[in-house]
Amino acid sequence: GLSVVFAIGNDRDLEACGIDGRGGFLSATRPSTAKNVITVGALEERRAISEFSSFGPARDGRLKPDVVALGVGVRSTVLGGRSDTFDGTSMATPAVSGLLA
């Protein structure tokens, strides 16, 4: 009954990873491609997958990410009792984790 949730990563637009020639496909890496986990990608406000959010398929053909959530311009707290906005799949994943809880 325990759900495990991972951010898929922000590697889709990294040329250094050799992803550029694949158009962003196969940019999902471990641990987000593990079996029986929920993998979360990032959406922009206009409801399109962000340009940085990794996506699959995984090496064995499974489609990834499993779900997406807002991951661009997400407000979060920072040290000193302030808040700031951040981008990334790590900002989208807590929304899914909270929904599951």
Side-chain angles (χ1 to χ4, degrees):
L2 179 66
S3 297
V4 179
V5 183
F6 283 112
I8 197 165
N10 305 317
D11 296 331
R12 186 168 112 196
D13 61 354
L14 294 181
E15 292 178 32
C17 293
I19 293 169
D20 191 46
R22 296 190 305 248
F25 287 106
L26 294 173
S27 57
T29 59
R30 289 178 287 207
S32 68
T33 57
K35 291 191 178 181
N36 303 320
V37 302
I38 298 170
T39 305
V40 182
L43 284 179
E44 296 178 358
E45 286 185 15
R46 64 176 195 248
R47 298 188 179 146
I49 292 196
S50 71
E51 63 185 32
F52 57 79
S53 185
S54 298
F55 60 93
R59 296 281 178 201
D60 63 3
R62 289 174 296 128
L63 298 179
K64 292 291 180 176
D66 299 305
V67 296
V68 290
L70 182 64
V72 176
V74 178
R75 185 161 297 279
S76 182
T77 56
V78 294
L79 291 174
R82 301 182 340 260
S83 66
D84 203 349
T85 57
F86 299 97
D87 301 336
T89 57
S90 293
M91 297 305 294
T93 302
V96 174
S97 297
L99 180 65
L100 287 170

